[in-house]
Amino acid sequence: MYKTKCKLYVMALGGCLMLTQCKAPAVATSTASNPTVPGSFNTSTDTTNTATVKWRQFFTDPKLASLIDVALQNNQELNITLQEIAIAKNEIRTRKGELLPTVGVRAGAGVEKVGRYTSQGAGDASTEITPGVEMPDPLTDFTIGAYANWEVDVWKKLRSAKKAAVARYLSSVEGKDFVMTNLIAEVANSYYELLALDNQLAIVKQNIELQQNALEVVKVQKEAAKTTELAVQKFQAEVLKSQSLQFDLAQQVTETENKINQLLGRYPQHVDRSTDDLLHMVPAIVSSGVPSQLLANRPDIKQAELDLAAAKLDVKVARAEFYPSLGISAGIGYQAFKTSYLFRTPESLLYSLAGDLVAPLVNRNAIKAAFQSANARQLQALYNYERTILSAYTEVVNQLSNSDNLSKSYALKAQQVDALNTSIAVSNDLFRSARVDYFEVLMTQRDALESKLELIDTKKAQLMSVVSLYRDLGGGWK
């Protein structure tokens, strides 16, 4: 039984608001030995999971592996995500710095002229620095010293903010892994799409040759008065239709190549690829493992979990704003009106030490609003976590069913192609002996071409389904 529980305490202003509990959908495990039973994962007796296989071992085509390597180095979206990791890492350093005292050095110089008939001016005029030496007028001032300010983290506000920054950094790392697994899957799917187009283009070219040969036969039969001009024109139209399809496929090849080039972060160019027959490729065997392994392998689930943890810490930080904050400030240095007196001790020495206890009084509404916003963001993170688990589970179940149905569909379509290939030769022989008309030959050729193209599409879908299942299980980022 697949059950994931997460408990979230939402603190209201007056105390504990409520306990929110989330559960992933419970799924009964299957007892069948087939690892791709639609609607279920593997049984708990087989915990093998293809998601733990590194992508270099999963994709054995060296040309595909080379393309993936280039994509992991040059893809712009992945590089943007790497910079987000750097930003999150710097945020941790910022939060760590807030836990330490702020220390600085200050130096200054100034001059002041006060009125003689003021209390300060009269006092300075009657004051002697040394016997016979009056206070200078105007009065200069030179200061040099060090100062420090420190907020004592009594309520763990700063430490919670640092932990939240760490959680978001780890979340950004998981986000990078999620981008990687999607990028690898997208390159692989585009690669198989390109191979399918190459094979379809080759089949169309072969079909054009067969149609042209049939056209020549019809022309000969027309000269022998065995058929009419209508048959010639029908065969000619079929040849032109296939030639038009050839250029349509060529355009799709160009667009798919450029799609791969864009994923690889490079300008349009030829994509080096395998020339093997796509129909001879055997899809890899994927073991789905048990449902709970999704939590360990899917980067997006781990990212959502870390975002939830960070949001919970943000609530603690917002709650601590209601409590008084304790600040300590200190300073030490020298001050004198003349540089020659600046470093005389203890006459020019100055120092200070103060502690401040500040509690919010008037601006509590703003603090309440910030706290309620933090609560709302925490609930958003919780719902996103639930949605991510549900989506991941659904994606895997859909792909397992898709893979199973595609394998059955491919077997039937392969038999269909074999039957239609045989029917082409039979229809041609019957047409030469005038036992069938040209229309049946045309329809047989058309059905055979369509079935061959559909067979390649089904094989492509099979290969892409395996790639998508590998991605949905959380493979590709290790």
Side-chain angles (χ1 to χ4, degrees):
M1 187 72 70
Y2 177 36
K3 184 181 291 184
T4 300
K5 297 181 179 179
C6 59
K7 296 180 179 179
L8 173 64
Y9 292 91
V10 181
M11 301 300 296
L13 297 179
C16 183
L17 178 63
M18 65 180 294
L19 172 64
T20 303
Q21 184 176 4
C22 66
K23 299 181 181 180
V27 179
T29 56
S30 172
T31 57
S33 59
N34 186 357
T36 57
V37 177
S40 67
F41 286 101
N42 284 354
T43 64
S44 59
T45 57
D46 181 12
T47 59
T48 303
N49 193 310
T50 304
T52 59
V53 178
K54 295 181 179 180
W55 68 264
R56 291 184 185 276
Q57 300 171 351
F58 187 79
F59 299 107
T60 57
D61 188 334
K63 295 183 178 180
L64 173 57
S66 177
L67 293 174
I68 293 175
D69 266 328
V70 177
L72 293 178
Q73 294 175 7
N74 299 337
N75 182 262
Q76 286 86 358
E77 183 179 358
L78 182 57
N79 289 331
I80 290 172
T81 306
L82 292 176
Q83 296 308 310
E84 291 176 356
I85 294 176
I87 293 171
K89 189 174 183 180
N90 289 328
E91 183 66 18
I92 296 177
R93 297 177 63 185
T94 301
R95 298 301 179 185
K96 282 183 177 180
E98 292 176 353
L99 286 167
L100 303 175
T102 301
V103 180
V105 178
R106 179 183 299 146
V111 61
E112 181 182 20
K113 173 67 173 69
V114 298
R116 174 67 178 80
Y117 301 111
T118 62
S119 59
Q120 183 180 348
D124 290 345
S126 61
T127 302
E128 294 183 346
I129 304 301
T130 58
V133 179
E134 297 181 353
M135 289 284 292
D137 186 26
L139 183 65
T140 55
D141 182 36
F142 299 97
T143 306
I144 186 170
Y147 66 93
N149 295 302
W150 182 38
E151 180 180 354
V152 182
D153 193 21
V154 179
W155 313 111
K156 298 183 179 180
K157 177 179 68 175
L158 301 179
R159 276 172 284 183
S160 295
K162 187 199 74 172
K163 291 179 181 178
V166 172
R168 288 194 169 88
Y169 165 73
L170 297 175
S171 172
S172 65
V173 173
E174 298 297 341
K176 181 263 297 181
D177 294 339
F178 188 59
V179 172
M180 279 185 60
T181 188
N182 279 282
L183 175 61
I184 291 172
E186 193 168 358
V187 172
N189 283 335
S190 299
Y191 180 80
Y192 290 133
E193 183 179 355
L194 186 59
L195 295 186
L197 289 171
D198 287 343
N199 281 258
Q200 287 178 336
L201 189 58
I203 288 175
V204 169
K205 289 179 179 179
Q206 294 173 2
N207 195 71
I208 290 174
E209 293 180 4
L210 293 175
Q211 290 174 339
Q212 287 176 337
N213 292 334
L215 176 61
E216 295 301 325
V217 172
V218 172
K219 288 180 179 179
V220 171
Q221 289 189 343
K222 181 203 169 189
E223 293 176 358
K226 291 183 178 181
T227 186
T228 64
E229 178 65 21
L230 179 60
V232 175
Q233 294 302 320
K234 283 287 187 179
F235 273 91
Q236 180 67 40
E238 200 68 21
V239 172
L240 294 174
K241 179 182 177 181
S242 297
Q243 289 174 338
S244 175
L245 178 60
Q246 177 182 351
F247 292 108
D248 290 340
L249 290 172
Q251 177 61 26
Q252 293 180 43
V253 167
T254 300
E255 292 178 0
T256 306
E257 280 187 323
N258 290 337
K259 179 181 178 182
I260 293 175
N261 286 321
Q262 186 175 5
L263 292 172
L264 271 57
R266 66 188 189 186
Y267 290 98
Q269 56 186 274
H270 174 73
V271 175
D272 189 22
R273 52 191 180 270
S274 173
T275 57
D276 296 340
D277 187 353
L278 187 74
L279 299 177
H280 292 160
M281 293 185 177
V282 179
I285 298 176
V286 179
S287 299
S288 59
V290 295
S292 60
Q293 290 175 331
L294 276 180
L295 299 175
N297 295 326
R298 287 272 300 219
D300 56 333
I301 293 179
K302 291 189 285 185
Q303 183 181 19
E305 182 180 357
L306 290 166
D307 287 339
L308 178 58
K312 181 179 179 181
L313 291 167
D314 287 340
V315 173
K316 289 185 178 180
V317 173
R319 186 185 302 115
E321 293 291 343
F322 288 102
Y323 308 141
S325 61
L326 175 61
I328 299 176
S329 60
I332 187 170
Y334 293 92
Q335 183 177 21
F337 67 87
K338 193 175 182 180
T339 55
S340 58
Y341 298 153
L342 186 59
F343 295 105
R344 289 191 178 184
T345 305
E347 292 85 353
S348 298
L349 180 66
L350 63 86
Y351 59 84
S352 65
L353 179 63
D356 296 321
L357 190 63
V358 181
L361 181 61
V362 177
N363 200 30
R364 288 181 65 88
N365 285 336
I367 300 175
K368 288 179 182 179
F371 176 72
Q372 290 170 355
S373 296
N375 261 334
R377 285 191 289 269
Q378 185 182 28
L379 288 174
Q380 280 183 331
L382 173 63
Y383 297 142
N384 181 61
Y385 179 66
E386 292 178 335
R387 180 184 63 179
T388 304
I389 293 178
L390 178 61
S391 297
Y393 185 83
T394 303
E395 287 171 359
V396 173
V397 171
N398 287 343
Q399 288 301 335
L400 286 171
S401 176
N402 186 37
S403 178
D404 182 67
N405 289 326
L406 282 172
S407 63
K408 296 175 182 177
S409 175
Y410 180 81
L412 295 174
K413 287 185 178 180
Q415 296 176 20
Q416 179 189 8
V417 169
D418 292 338
L420 287 172
N421 284 335
T422 303
S423 67
I424 290 178
V426 173
S427 65
N428 287 333
D429 292 340
L430 293 175
F431 180 70
R432 291 189 183 95
S433 61
R435 296 175 63 183
V436 297
D437 58 19
Y438 67 91
F439 182 76
E440 294 187 30
V441 177
L442 282 175
M443 293 305 297
T444 302
Q445 291 180 348
R446 182 180 298 178
D447 291 343
L449 174 61
E450 291 177 354
S451 65
K452 290 177 182 177
L453 297 180
E454 289 177 0
L455 184 64
I456 292 178
D457 279 336
T458 305
K459 173 61 74 172
K460 176 190 71 174
Q462 265 192 300
L463 295 170
M464 294 173 69
S465 175
V466 169
V467 173
S468 298
L469 181 56
Y470 179 62
R471 175 200 62 200
D472 294 340
L473 290 170
W477 58 269
K478 294 185 179 180

